[in-house]
Amino acid sequence: MELIDAIILGIIQGLTEFLPVSSSGHLELGKAILGADSLPEESLLFTVVLHFATALSTIIVFRKDVWEILRGLFQFKWNEETRFSLKIIISMIPAALVGFFLEDFLEVFFDGAIIIVGIMLLITAILLYLADLAKTTDKGVSYRGALVIGMAQAVAILPGISRSGATISAAVLLGVDKSKSARFSFLMVVPLIMGKMAKDLLSGEVNFVGDQAVAMGVGFIAAFIAGLAACTWMIKLVRQSKLSYFAIYCLIVGLIAIAWSIWG
């Protein structure tokens, strides 16, 4: 993998993990354009590296929240931090079940099926548009809401469905405050990413190619920096109800992807 390819894919991952435009969908499009999917030996490891970079950027942005949650948990009391952590665990269940039982079935969607990515981006556009129309409230995430948001996250395993877009939209449409929706959406993915990384690393399918260490390091840095910027920016955009801009973007990219797949 060339350094420029690693930088581009890292930036794509860092930006699209938080911006509601589907990181998996854009990575598939990026690999198709750059030809990076012709390098299967380091493809899975590179994906793990990029996901670790974005998880780390999330922790940095929400470091105060993460510290408060950890401090509250170690008080071993039924406090707000414990309740929030339980909601995070509940939200992880749907995606964990889908990943465990349907992993082989879902692999077909990550095999250059650009038309599927395009269709899913159109669905993401609809979700974002509907979320932008929702009224502002001060409601928090309930246990039932956490499960519904988790189901949205499970659906977002499909490339082209934005994870942040689906989860934030689900939360907002449930009547949750927009800032709280963004906070919950970004924090809920950290343990899931860590679990997926551990699963991939322990699977024995990750192959490290020595001469790709520099490219992976550069990709990690690019994804981390882009992730910091995108996460911070996205929080402001959700508060200001500007998701419709991303709905338009997903609509355009989705239509281009479908056209590329049919006539490219």
Side-chain angles (χ1 to χ4, degrees), residues 197-212:
M197 286 169 50
K199 180 176 179 295
D200 288 338
L201 291 172
L202 294 173
S203 68
E205 298 177 5
V206 175
N207 298 310
F208 178 73
V209 182
D211 59 359
Q212 295 297 327

Side-chain angles (χ1 to χ4, degrees), residues 10-21 54 57-58 61-62 164 168 182 186 222-238 246:
I11 292 174
I12 289 174
Q13 170 63 27
L15 291 177
T16 58
E17 181 63 45
F18 301 104
L19 301 182
V21 294
T54 50
S57 65
T58 307
V61 172
F62 289 98
S164 63
I168 291 174
F186 294 146
F224 177 72
I225 294 175
L228 286 176
C231 185
T232 304
W233 187 35
M234 185 59 186
I235 294 170
K236 295 179 180 179
L237 290 174
V238 174
F246 293 102

Side-chain angles (χ1 to χ4, degrees), residues 9-87:
L9 291 175
I11 292 174
I12 289 174
Q13 170 63 27
L15 291 177
T16 58
E17 181 63 45
F18 301 104
L19 301 182
V21 294
S22 178
S23 60
S24 59
H26 277 69
L27 278 176
E28 289 303 307
L29 293 175
K31 289 178 181 179
I33 294 170
L34 297 171
D37 56 354
S38 63
L39 301 170
E41 288 190 350
E42 71 262 16
S43 181
L44 180 57
L45 179 58
F46 188 66
T47 300
V48 171
V49 168
L50 296 188
H51 276 99
F52 177 65
T54 50
L56 184 60
S57 65
T58 307
I59 294 172
I60 296 298
V61 172
F62 289 98
R63 57 191 179 278
K64 293 182 179 179
D65 298 82
V66 172
W67 170 246
E68 288 296 325
I69 292 170
L70 292 176
R71 188 171 66 176
L73 285 175
F74 282 103
Q75 292 177 359
F76 301 104
K77 297 178 181 178
W78 187 247
N79 51 30
E80 181 59 32
E81 291 76 20
T82 303
R83 288 191 288 271
F84 184 83
S85 299
L86 179 57
K87 292 172 186 176

